[in-house]
Amino acid sequence: MTLIGIDIGGTNSRVGTVSPEGRVLVRAAAPTDAARGSAATITTLLDMIHQVLSDSHARLSGPSAIGIAISGPIDVNTGIVSNPYTLGGWPPTDIVSPFRAAFQGAVVIAENDANAAAVGEWRVGVGRGANRFVMVTLGTGIGVGFLVDGQIQRGSNGSHGEAGHLVLDPSGPSCYCGAKGCWESLASGTALSNRLKDPSHMDRADYSRAIEQIAHWTGLALVNLCAVFSPDAIAIGGGAGAQFDLMKDSISEVMHQHRRLIRTDVPVLAAQAGDDAGLIGAALLAKDRQG
Ligand SMILES: [Zn+2]
């Protein structure tokens, strides 16, 4: 049984063979370069699958299941992703069918990347044992996945709630979502780049100030998530989540200020599977679907 996990992010995409226990065995990565269009990205991903299969000596048997974690709005029933924002240049795209056509007999599923990362962290990372678990991916954008007893909590008609666009400061910067001052516009990797204006010439003080502000807004967003969902544990992952150690004290301070009524003394932890969480979660969700 060869499981393949794919994580298509706004900046980079990853492909890996994943063990049934959720360990990445062989991996490949490449820039997503969404402006080339979805067909070009899919061709690159198929090449990467052949590469990891070859490196795993599994080229002949092929994959038994492929799980795709993808940024932005996706209909998990049809596999159609409609994301002109973090995947600029993509028309509405059926992300599942090209992989079913290329690997006949393989189970292929697609899932929102934050949901997939939540499943990855719950199965093999810091979410283990949490009944009500929140996963935050801080990257090019901000994604949030909610699990109850390991099950993805979906919105109306299977939609994904996009908690990364919670409005925190109505006088803040404009976001592509139509709001001003949403969490993503204030604290994503893109917001960090905008804040630093010229990241190649930033000094240490500029960088510290930017991280401090991201931590402040993230802490406030987590207070709101606690008010609605009352989780047992929260994990922070994604590319910018690698800076969690620099942010954790400020996040705790903001959450502590709101502790009187809302249960904000919940553990906030660095994601253990790191950038692999989405890829692992997608592969394991595909494995589950094999029956
Ligand atoms: Zn927004």
Side-chain angles (χ1 to χ4, degrees):
M1 174 199 292
T2 302
L3 301 176
I4 295 282
I6 302 174
D7 190 351
I8 305 171
T11 307
N12 292 306
S13 291
R14 296 179 189 77
V15 170
T17 52
V18 177
S19 77
E21 297 77 34
R23 200 157 47 86
V24 181
L25 304 172
V26 176
R27 73 187 77 219
T32 301
D33 201 3
R36 292 180 305 150
S38 52
T41 304
I42 289 168
T43 300
T44 302
L45 292 168
L46 288 168
D47 289 344
M48 289 160 74
I49 292 177
H50 287 298
Q51 181 190 330
V52 297
L53 287 174
S54 177
D55 292 350
S56 308
H57 306 291
R59 185 184 278 278
L60 289 179
S61 57
S64 57
I66 299 173
I68 304 162
I70 187 159
S71 164
I74 177 165
D75 183 326
V76 293
N77 297 313
T78 62
I80 293 177
V81 59
S82 306
N83 182 5
Y85 308 111
T86 51
L87 296 171
W90 279 39
T93 297
D94 176 351
I95 193 65
V96 168
S97 293
F99 296 92
R100 283 194 183 134
F103 300 101
Q104 291 185 10
V107 170
V108 183
I109 63 106
E111 183 55 77
N112 172 274
D113 57 353
N115 285 343
V119 170
E121 280 296 328
W122 191 83
R123 299 274 188 99
V124 302
V126 295
R128 275 175 294 190
N131 176 240
R132 299 175 67 78
F133 178 56
V134 173
M135 174 78 206
V136 177
T137 56
L138 286 181
T140 311
I142 296 180
V144 185
F146 300 92
L147 303 185
V148 174
D149 204 16
Q151 300 300 307
I152 295 167
Q153 302 301 292
R154 300 190 191 281
S156 171
N157 291 325
S159 63
H160 180 73
E162 300 296 351
H165 295 272
L166 279 170
V167 175
L168 302 176
D169 176 9
S171 62
S174 295
C175 177
Y176 60 81
C177 72
K180 285 188 171 180
C182 68
W183 185 8
E184 180 166 314
S185 73
L186 292 163
S188 65
T190 308
L192 175 63
S193 302
N194 292 342
R195 209 182 285 274
L196 292 170
K197 301 237 172 12
D198 184 359
S200 60
H201 289 94
M202 66 184 173
D203 60 25
R204 188 176 286 269
D206 289 339
Y207 186 71
S208 298
R209 254 193 310 277
I211 290 288
E212 181 68 32
Q213 285 172 331
I214 285 175
H216 168 81
W217 293 118
T218 296
L220 198 54
L222 296 186
V223 169
N224 286 313
L225 297 185
C226 287
V228 174
F229 188 68
S230 192
D232 301 306
I234 299 171
I236 308 280
Q243 310 299 322
F244 179 72
D245 276 355
L246 301 175
M247 297 191 278
K248 63 183 180 188
D249 290 346
S250 299
I251 290 173
S252 299
E253 194 180 317
V254 174
M255 293 178 77
H256 187 71
Q257 288 164 3
H258 295 80
R259 72 192 181 286
R260 286 191 194 164
L261 185 63
I262 301 166
R263 201 205 141 197
T264 57
D265 60 344
V266 48
V268 180
L269 307 160
Q272 197 173 319
D275 274 354
D276 286 339
L279 187 157
I280 293 168
L284 295 179
L285 284 167
K287 172 177 162 269
D288 293 350
R289 202 69 67 83
Q290 283 182 293

